[in-house]
Amino acid sequence: MTATTIRLPALERHFGDRAILPGDARFEAARAVWNGTVDTRPAAVLRCADAADVALALRIARAEGLPVAVRGGGHQIAGAAVVADGVVLDLSPMRYADISADGTVSVGGGALLGDLDRATDRVGRVVPAGTVSHTGVGGLTLGGGVGWLSPRLGLTCDSLISVDLVTAAGETRTVDAGTDPDLFWALRGLGANFGVATRFVFRTHPQGPVVAGRSEVPLDRTAEVLTRIGACAAELPRALGVLARLERPAAVPVLGVEWVWSADPADAAAAIRPLGLPAGTVRTRRFPAVQTTVDHRFPHGGRYYLKPAQLAELGPAQAEALVEGATRFPAGDPQLEVLRLGGAVADVPQEATAFPGRAAAFAVNVTARADDPALEAAQRRWARETHAVIAGLGTGGAYLNFADRELDLATVLGAPVHDRLRRVKHRLDPDDVFRPAQHITPRPEQ
């Protein structure tokens, strides 16, 4: 059965116009994902309004022998939200974020980061999550979730209380630390392997206006500034998020150092002084506005290729490697991002969740983007070569939300964690229905 011949009466009868098949005028838009290099044609896109819809769609797909993909925000680099000649479970109708009287927030499987930020900001609260507002909350959380507030508040998954999960068998269950600690452990890091997350409940944290700034550093001073950031990072206040981005806004690459101070605005100037940055822009803003600041750098439909790494330190060798990578920027829109981690991320014991690399001091993202397909080969070659040098100076880890299918997952996780995940996978999904980019294969207990 192919994507051009599928006709499932039960599917169309239940989903009506929420079943989008090839030939439908909406099909091309429905199958598109954030990464424009992905050109996958599914058999059907089913817009699921709730967990019951998801369970029915799974039963239909499995009865027809069709592969399944799950789309929350569609932001994953490998395009795992669509599957060739299979069924896409589109969770976009579940796009909500509702604050409860107890200060928790319930978030639908199709919500975007901006939805979550706006909902919590209305009551002076926040969940630590991401830096791009059109990222899906579900994928971000299930892969850990890093962002501006990570040094102070930890990963997104560290604020997770529970997940409503539809399993491969079509059963709906609420998973938390008490009901199924092993599965809850696995969901926080490699969660897309174990079912369809239709609802998340997070604890929130107090958050008022933040101070956000940006300074530009010329390339000849970039190694010096990066090394200074690395030298003082462990002593910086946890309320200071720092992201250094090597980019090429004009003919010559520059280092843009962006920072967010999430404590008392009156203390911002003192907090950033150790960074030794040149004068730049500084604004006091509501947090959701800060979260949209770099959205334009990562638009939908761009042709992306990412390679992540983690660093234990940002010393002279790492700084020089980053600068050298920038001097070799190919045509297009390449970037090198360095995000401060540490603090509350490292406070949580490594074994508490499946998220790898909690001890890393920095996350690095080598980003190739070339909207002209003719430039892609050179962009990817640059990204691989640059990543190899930087990763060779790092921990061997990687932030999985930035990784594609090329990653050696077993090596990044280590054998004990990988084996434990495979056993959880076998219990929840023995037939391997769910195959995200960071794919765990089932393995029975031995």
Side-chain angles (χ1 to χ4, degrees):
M1 182 173 295
T2 70
T4 57
T5 62
I6 181 172
R7 290 293 182 269
L8 304 178
L11 179 155
E12 294 178 291
R13 183 169 58 250
H14 178 83
F15 285 91
D17 65 2
R18 292 186 292 117
I20 303 174
L21 307 180
D24 189 309
R26 302 168 295 166
F27 183 73
E28 292 302 312
R31 74 181 184 91
V33 291
W34 169 72
N35 188 356
T37 67
V38 177
D39 185 20
T40 303
R41 300 187 67 83
V45 177
L46 305 184
R47 290 188 167 151
C48 300
D50 52 27
D53 275 359
V54 170
L56 176 61
L58 278 171
R59 289 195 295 271
I60 293 171
R62 298 194 67 184
E64 295 289 334
L66 297 174
V68 170
V70 182
R71 177 181 180 133
H75 222 275
Q76 204 276 331
I77 183 63
V82 286
V83 60
D85 295 335
V87 176
V88 174
L89 310 182
D90 182 352
L91 309 186
S92 58
M94 291 182 248
R95 185 176 171 181
Y96 65 84
D98 297 329
I99 295 286
S100 298
D102 62 1
T104 62
V105 59
S106 298
V107 183
L112 304 183
L113 180 52
D115 302 320
L116 173 59
D117 289 331
R118 288 186 294 272
T120 53
D121 184 67
R122 282 194 290 269
V123 294
R125 312 285 292 186
V126 75
V127 174
T131 59
V132 176
S133 73
H134 50 73
T135 305
V137 174
L140 182 83
T141 304
L142 298 174
V146 301
W148 291 116
L149 305 180
S150 293
R152 179 166 71 90
L153 298 176
L155 305 173
T156 308
C157 71
D158 294 337
S159 291
L160 186 64
I161 296 172
S162 67
V163 181
D164 286 0
L165 194 74
V166 181
T167 69
E171 301 172 345
T172 301
R173 61 175 69 179
T174 298
V175 183
D176 58 30
T179 60
D180 193 331
D182 214 31
L183 176 55
F184 194 57
W185 167 84
L187 288 173
R188 291 172 292 164
L190 277 299
N193 282 275
F194 307 103
V196 184
T198 59
R199 177 176 173 265
F200 301 84
V201 178
F202 297 97
R203 68 180 58 87
T204 63
H205 310 268
Q207 184 61 64
V210 301
V211 183
R214 172 184 165 86
S215 296
E216 285 198 356
V217 179
L219 195 61
D220 61 1
R221 286 199 57 216
T222 289
E224 169 198 341
V225 171
L226 288 174
T227 303
R228 184 184 300 119
I229 291 172
C232 69
E235 305 305 320
L236 291 174
R238 292 188 173 196
L240 184 64
V242 181
L243 191 155
R245 177 183 289 109
L246 276 155
E247 56 190 342
R248 188 176 51 206
V252 180
V254 299
L255 177 71
V257 181
E258 301 164 60
W259 53 269
V260 174
W261 173 251
S262 59
D264 187 339
D267 298 330
I272 67 164
R273 193 169 295 124
L275 301 178
L277 299 174
T281 61
V282 179
R283 295 178 64 186
T284 300
R285 312 177 74 184
R286 302 300 303 180
F287 188 65
V290 172
Q291 290 284 72
T292 66
T293 302
V294 297
D295 284 4
H296 69 286
R297 301 293 285 119
F298 303 96
H300 281 273
R303 304 181 71 84
Y304 299 97
Y305 180 74
L306 309 184
K307 299 287 286 184
Q310 291 179 330
L311 302 178
E313 61 176 343
L314 182 56
Q318 291 81 6
E320 291 293 347
L322 289 159
V323 171
E324 196 275 335
T327 63
R328 296 185 298 103
F329 274 164
D333 186 22
Q335 302 176 54
L336 290 165
E337 290 184 318
V338 184
L339 177 69
R340 180 195 180 198
L341 298 177
V345 176
D347 286 347
V348 177
Q350 181 61 59
E351 65 274 13
T353 68
F355 178 86
R358 282 187 177 272
F362 296 92
V364 176
N365 192 23
V366 181
T367 302
R369 176 185 161 205
D371 294 338
D372 181 353
L375 302 177
E376 283 183 27
Q379 283 266 340
R380 291 186 176 217
R381 183 168 57 252
W382 166 82
R384 291 190 182 107
E385 292 171 355
T386 302
H387 175 266
V389 175
I390 295 169
L393 298 169
T395 66
Y399 177 43
L400 300 184
N401 278 342
F402 289 163
D404 62 15
R405 299 182 194 274
E406 296 176 351
L407 184 75
D408 184 348
L409 187 58
T411 298
V412 170
L413 294 171
V417 172
H418 192 240
D419 287 346
R420 182 180 175 186
L421 286 162
R422 291 186 66 191
R423 292 191 294 271
V424 177
K425 174 76 167 180
H426 186 266
R427 176 164 65 89
L428 270 292
D429 184 16
D431 297 326
D432 205 13
V433 171
F434 302 109
R435 300 185 179 191
Q438 304 311 318
H439 178 213
I440 301 294
T441 56
R443 177 183 179 180
E445 293 281 356
Q446 295 183 342

